[in-house]
Amino acid sequence: MHTPALRLGAGLATGIALAAGVLTATPAVAAVGDDDPTVGARVTTGPAAGLAINEVESNADDTDWVELVNTSSAVIDLSGWRFLDSDSSHPAHTLPQGSTIAAGGYLVVDQETTTRSGFDFGLGGADSVRLYDASGTLTLRYAWTTHAAVTYGSCPDGSGTLVDTTASTKGGSNDCSSPVRINEVESQGGIPGDWVELTNVGTTTVDLGGYVLRDSEDDHAWTVPAGTTVAPGGFTVLDEAQAGADADTAPGAGTGTGAGAGFGFGLGKADGVRLSDARGVLVDEYSWTAHAATTYGRNPDGTGAFAETAEPTKGSTNRFAGVVTAEAWPGGPDEIVLDAEDTFTGDLSGLDWTSSASSQDGQLWAVQNGDGLLYHLVPDGRGGWAPTNTAGVDLRYADGTGTPDAEGVTVTADDPGAVYVSTERDNDVSKVSRPAVLRFATTDGSESVLRATDEWDLAADFPGLGANAGLEGVTWVPDAWLTSRGFVDQHTGATYAPAAYPGHGEGLFLVGVEGTASAYAYALMDDGSSQRVATIATPFSLVAEVQFDPTLDALWVVCDEACSGRTALFDVQDGAFTLATLYEAPANADRTLANEGFAISGRCVDGARATFYADDNDTNGASLRTGTYPCDAVEEPGDGDGGIPAPGDGEAPAPGDGEAPAPGDGQAPAPGGGETPAPGDGGGSTPAPGTGGSSPAPVPTTPGPTAPGPTAPGPAAPAAPVAPDVSALVDGNRGSVSAPSNVRAGSSLTIDVGTRYAGQRVAVWLFSEPRLLGTPVVAADGTVTVAVPTDVPAGQHRIAVAAFDGTVLGWTGITIDPATGSLAFTGAELGGGIAAALLLLAAGAGVLVARRRRTVGSPA
């Protein structure tokens, strides 16, 4: 049956053609949108025989996409074919003319971005992809019930079953190899002897029974005993056999099981190790020409290049000098479900915790991005949490229209009657980026609909940012906290002076941007203007949440399943937010959960504070989970006069002061308006959050990274990088980094630097005259992202990545296309008659168009 939307679209198209007098014969399209579950993922007969769905990315790690492969010996032309997910109300994406696949080649059908056309819907956790030929016949179909941890890929290409792959291989042959990798090697002075550490970069536990370990000599072979396993992200150590000792009882033998008696040969000064699976297929190998002073290990674990470690880390994460290494989560191992099944329908995103006058456990604010809802949650008395407003508050823009793509939420101490929401776009105009912070006046979320009282649109600061790559998280940091730590204003180059930004309230807003993988500090003024005060590079491939923690005097930056649930703590060092500690997800947590929201309680109970996670995918009907983070308190905050009030409670004492009013108790103006005096203008002084109360404020104990050398540009790099000399761009270092051949001025540019630099800060320069584009931290996948200024002249340029001392790490050529404010149009130009008819028909059809909201399962 054909949907009303499809009938309306066909009618409009026909009307346009008739009005222009240019109706021509076209292939039938009526069948597009019909489904047939019996259609499979590959074509076995006819002119498209050999065409297959080869790989599917639905996790929105950058974009969703589907890879097609041609296993035949002839070119297959897909021009005019149409692509859909499982929702037939979505407009089908038509493959443009020239969409061909060579024999043995690949073609990727990609999601739309600001700078590239493509399909304009997301692929959900339970979804399907369908491809219709030029006549409208359903030709290929593949369905799944949950996101792949990596991607779904055919093993072997084009003919096998689609399974969760070991690594994403967009546009290339699928990686269906064993996910086991050699991770660290001790070749002298180990305990009890030489050893080889293995890790698992996949998503399921691997049975190592029957795998064979060899050194550089073929006759030195040892078969791993049955029952030896390695868990996803875990480590298993294979030890050299010792007289009278089993290898699996050696200190630090790791997390694997059944390591047996150990291999019966030593590892030499110039040697190697090779690992083959039970079929005899080589899985991984590494060789060296001299003993390491410590050990040789991968940086980062499992995926990076080998280098000398800072110290042996047998059975645990590798450590390297000048690199902040991810540590085990110090709190509880579990993330426990808090909400009843189907309390939320999916797309729960940002979270923020505040104390409460009515509950020692505090309260939570949450936002749902797909339909733009705001929730107020409290403990349900049975160990869970539930919204006081079960339907949620329907958020709108100031004029009452639109559906803000609500991704993050925060409350502030200087504006107790409001919540602030960060957004990526208006979901009713889903192709257009609208990164903004919105203010909504509410104290308990009891309203059914709320219009924004203020909007700070930051789009001008992020040219080229994708509509689905904007502001994921938002938090608020008090001015008093920043000034007490000597925070430096990068806009002025001097110590931050709040008076320089009149009307901005009593603190700065920090936003996390998905597409740039960075966080930014902003002063939001009461006239709707804004000023970026700082840019904070992160070690992640994307930022899902930011959260200021006054207890730790630190900033949490959170990544979702794209980084296996890692989180990071930043503190202010030398005037800037600097990476201090990097954490893995809790040990037993599902690292594939789309935890886009994170919050942490300010209340310490039995040595732990509650952490909260919002799963955008509503996995197994649950969106809200909790864990723990250790704390140290003589007296629990909230038990006495030292309790921290909920912003806007109006009755609770100020932190650490039983008499002074809480910050924001009716005295400070909200950013965006107000004439009341600022806190402290009358009656008592209020300490900066994080300095008062009866609970000591622990700080991260991991020292910050040291300044890098030429080949280790780490996060604590000097403030002013040295520009490389153009003479340093030679053939010897050309191609050591890679980037797209073309990029539009004003858009973002992603550069592959290499995983060996993961977690380290680099400088990106544009030549012919050196122009600094940014100083990002290399993400775990080896990439950095910078913005290309709009005033860069079109034409041939060179992009160079360097250490802060000017040492060139690599460079590549690039063509800068002219900046333009219009979207690309891939069809034929419309003549005057057709354009006029289109306008008339659009006006007549306007009454039939209803506001569309993003469906559950679309990417956040």
Side-chain angles (χ1 to χ4, degrees):
M1 191 173 85
H2 310 306
T3 67
L6 288 169
R7 290 197 297 269
L8 174 60
L12 284 171
T14 304
I16 292 170
L18 287 172
V22 292
L23 184 63
T24 58
T26 58
V29 299
V32 174
D34 285 354
D35 195 20
D36 183 353
T38 65
V39 174
R42 56 190 53 86
V43 180
T44 56
T45 60
L51 181 67
I53 295 172
N54 197 51
E55 192 173 7
V56 176
E57 166 62 88
S58 65
N59 278 322
D61 298 345
D62 186 20
T63 58
D64 292 338
W65 48 267
V66 173
E67 176 191 270
L68 306 176
V69 66
N70 177 6
T71 62
S72 76
S73 58
V75 173
I76 299 177
D77 188 355
L78 300 179
S79 302
W81 287 45
R82 273 149 290 196
F83 174 83
L84 267 177
D85 63 352
S86 63
D87 188 344
S88 297
S89 69
H90 287 160
H93 169 62
T94 302
L95 274 62
Q97 290 298 314
S99 298
T100 61
I101 311 182
Y106 303 88
L107 184 145
V108 175
V109 183
D110 215 332
Q111 194 174 19
E112 180 185 57
T113 69
T114 306
T115 57
R116 182 189 63 233
S117 62
F119 58 90
D120 64 353
F121 45 82
L123 302 179
D127 209 341
S128 66
V129 291
R130 297 176 287 171
L131 196 68
Y132 300 81
D133 67 16
S135 70
T137 301
L138 180 62
T139 304
L140 293 173
R141 181 182 183 277
Y142 175 66
W144 60 93
T145 57
T146 186
H147 286 304
V150 183
T151 61
Y152 287 117
S154 176
C155 296
D157 283 1
S159 60
T161 302
L162 275 80
V163 298
D164 206 327
T165 60
T166 297
S168 175
T169 55
K170 186 177 184 179
S173 181
N174 291 338
D175 185 351
C176 304
S177 64
S178 167
V180 179
R181 297 290 182 267
I182 298 168
N183 196 56
E184 190 176 3
V185 177
E186 169 64 83
S187 62
Q188 69 166 351
I191 299 176
D194 295 341
W195 48 265
V196 177
E197 177 190 86
L198 307 179
T199 191
N200 179 356
V201 299
T203 59
T204 58
T205 296
V206 174
D207 184 350
L208 296 171
Y211 276 56
V212 177
L213 181 73
R214 291 180 173 87
D215 63 3
S216 59
E217 299 183 41
D218 290 339
D219 60 347
H220 288 177
W222 177 70
T223 301
V224 180
T228 308
T229 62
V230 57
F235 305 95
T236 290
V237 174
L238 308 180
D239 271 302
E240 182 183 2
Q242 300 294 308
D246 285 343
D248 60 347
T249 61
T255 58
T257 61
F263 53 90
F265 47 87
L267 302 177
K269 178 179 180 180
D271 208 341
V273 287
R274 294 172 290 169
L275 184 70
S276 301
D277 65 17
R279 300 168 299 169
V281 176
L282 182 67
V283 171
D284 198 12
E285 61 181 337
Y286 176 65
S287 61
W288 58 93
T289 58
H291 288 306
T294 52
T295 59
Y296 289 113
R298 288 191 184 274
N299 178 25
D301 289 280
T303 59
F306 278 91
E308 284 202 20
T309 62
E311 59 182 323
T313 54
K314 187 177 185 180
S316 62
T317 302
N318 294 339
R319 293 185 177 275
F320 298 87
V323 178
V324 177
T325 303
E327 301 179 2
W329 180 254
D334 301 307
E335 291 178 9
I336 300 168
V337 171
L338 284 176
D339 56 327
E341 187 171 356
D342 299 327
T343 300
F344 306 98
T345 56
D347 290 341
L348 197 69
S349 189
L351 293 173
D352 196 29
W353 180 94
T354 72
S355 59
S356 168
S358 59
S359 171
Q360 283 190 326
D361 292 322
Q363 57 190 337
L364 285 170
W365 289 98
V367 286
Q368 192 160 288
N369 57 61
D371 42 14
L373 296 179
L374 171 70
Y375 290 99
H376 176 256
L377 297 97
V378 296
D380 63 8
R382 300 185 300 275
W385 286 63
T388 60
N389 51 349
T390 54
V393 182
D394 193 358
L395 302 179
R396 307 290 178 89
Y397 290 96
D399 61 2
T401 66
T403 306
D405 187 60
E407 298 284 356
V409 62
T410 194
V411 295
T412 72
D414 66 352
D415 189 13
V419 297
Y420 292 80
V421 174
S422 60
T423 69
E424 292 187 322
R425 60 188 172 185
D426 176 359
N427 282 330
D428 292 356
V429 192
S430 62
K431 297 181 182 179
V432 179
S433 178
R434 190 172 176 176
V437 176
L438 304 174
R439 178 185 183 271
F440 295 94
T442 185
T443 57
D444 57 5
S446 59
E447 301 82 1
S448 59
V449 179
L450 277 174
R451 295 187 181 191
T453 62
D454 302 88
E455 178 178 3
W456 292 270
D457 191 339
L458 306 180
D461 277 8
F462 299 99
L465 187 67
N468 196 33
L471 275 56
E472 282 285 333
V474 62
T475 192
W476 183 84
V477 183
D479 283 342
W481 187 89
L482 294 165
T483 56
S484 70
R485 284 155 181 81
F487 181 64
V488 173
D489 183 339
Q490 294 176 5
H491 174 60
T492 64
T495 302
Y496 171 58
Y501 305 105
H504 82 285
E506 298 295 325
L508 298 180
F509 287 84
L510 272 64
V511 296
V513 178
E514 177 180 352
T516 66
S518 297
Y520 304 85
Y522 276 93
L524 304 182
M525 272 66 79
D526 56 13
D527 61 359
S529 64
S530 62
Q531 177 59 56
R532 184 185 293 181
V533 174
T535 298
I536 306 165
T538 79
F540 299 134
S541 57
L542 62 84
V543 173
E545 177 74 283
V546 288
Q547 193 73 232
F548 176 61
D549 189 338
T551 300
L552 292 180
D553 282 323
L555 173 72
W556 290 95
V557 178
V558 177
C559 190
D560 56 17
E561 77 276 16
C563 309
S564 300
R566 284 182 170 181
T567 54
L569 278 173
F570 286 70
D571 57 14
V572 174
Q573 300 176 23
D574 299 324
F577 278 100
T578 304
L579 177 63
T581 309
L582 186 62
Y583 288 128
E584 298 286 2
N588 296 337
D590 182 350
R591 300 184 181 200
T592 67
L593 293 178
N595 284 338
E596 293 192 358
F598 173 84
I600 185 166
S601 169
R603 182 169 184 253
C604 186
V605 179
D606 296 329
R609 291 193 291 153
T611 54
F612 302 92
Y613 307 86
D615 174 14
D616 178 73
N617 283 339
D618 196 47
T619 305
N620 298 323
S623 291
L624 188 66
R625 291 171 174 83
T626 188
T628 60
Y629 184 84
C631 58
D632 179 17
V634 177
E635 181 179 345
E636 295 175 10
D639 287 352
D641 287 344
I644 300 174
D649 283 348
E651 297 152 357
D657 190 333
E659 299 170 0
D665 284 350
Q667 297 175 8
E675 302 169 355
T676 53
D681 284 354
S685 62
T686 303
T691 62
S694 57
S695 172
V699 297
T701 56
T702 301
T706 57
T711 60
V722 176
D725 190 272
V726 67
S727 63
L729 276 60
V730 296
D731 287 343
N733 53 28
R734 181 175 186 173
S736 299
V737 302
S738 61
S741 59
N742 291 72
V743 66
R744 192 184 71 188
S747 65
S748 59
L749 171 66
T750 298
I751 306 165
D752 189 347
V753 182
T755 54
R756 63 188 180 280
Y757 297 115
Q760 303 173 19
R761 191 184 298 277
V762 296
V764 181
W765 298 89
L766 180 71
F767 283 84
S768 54
E769 61 181 55
R771 179 173 181 176
L772 184 63
L773 300 187
T775 56
V777 172
V778 182
D781 63 357
T783 63
V784 295
T785 300
V786 294
V788 179
T790 55
D791 60 352
V792 173
Q796 299 296 317
H797 296 266
R798 285 176 288 179
I799 291 287
V801 180
F804 269 63
D805 64 358
T807 301
V808 175
L809 307 180
W811 67 276
T812 187
I814 193 167
T815 299
I816 305 295
D817 297 327
T820 174
S822 60
L823 291 174
F825 178 70
T826 57
E829 293 185 2
L830 294 179
I834 298 178
L838 176 60
L839 291 173
L840 289 172
L841 285 165
V847 296
L848 301 177
V849 179
R851 184 174 72 174
R852 254 185 78 228
R853 294 182 178 176
R854 199 179 62 157
T855 61
V856 173
S858 301

